[in-house]
Amino acid sequence: MTMQYDVKAAHTEATGTVVNQRTRLKAYHCISGGTAGDVIFRDGGSGGTLLLQFNIGTGTQPITMSIPGEGILFSTNIHVTLPTAAKITVFYG
């Protein structure tokens, strides 16, 4: 088992680039702001390659997910599209 100690966190409450470097998404923690919709992760900005997408409802229960293995590689950056009022913290390294 390989241990990784250089994991960092970044938080956003709006659509945009949350990590502006090559990195691996290790986990996320997301809360709906009361609006259902898709959370979309792209590599390379808003028009980049879609690497992960999931749906959140209108409830206030947090959605937390650890990405298995080494995580998802984002070669350029991590761009996230959020539904209105949603918030997300990403863990990367």
Side-chain angles (χ1 to χ4, degrees), residues 8-57:
K8 299 174 182 81
H11 179 80
T12 189
E13 298 183 14
T15 292
T17 298
V18 65
V19 178
N20 198 19
Q21 65 187 40
R22 176 185 168 98
T23 194
R24 289 184 179 273
L25 178 65
K26 302 290 189 168
Y28 60 82
H29 177 86
C30 183
I31 297 177
S32 169
T35 303
D38 289 334
V39 175
I40 301 169
F41 288 89
R42 293 184 185 271
D43 181 12
S46 62
T49 303
L50 190 149
L51 296 182
L52 176 65
Q53 180 174 350
F54 63 93
N55 187 267
I56 58 175

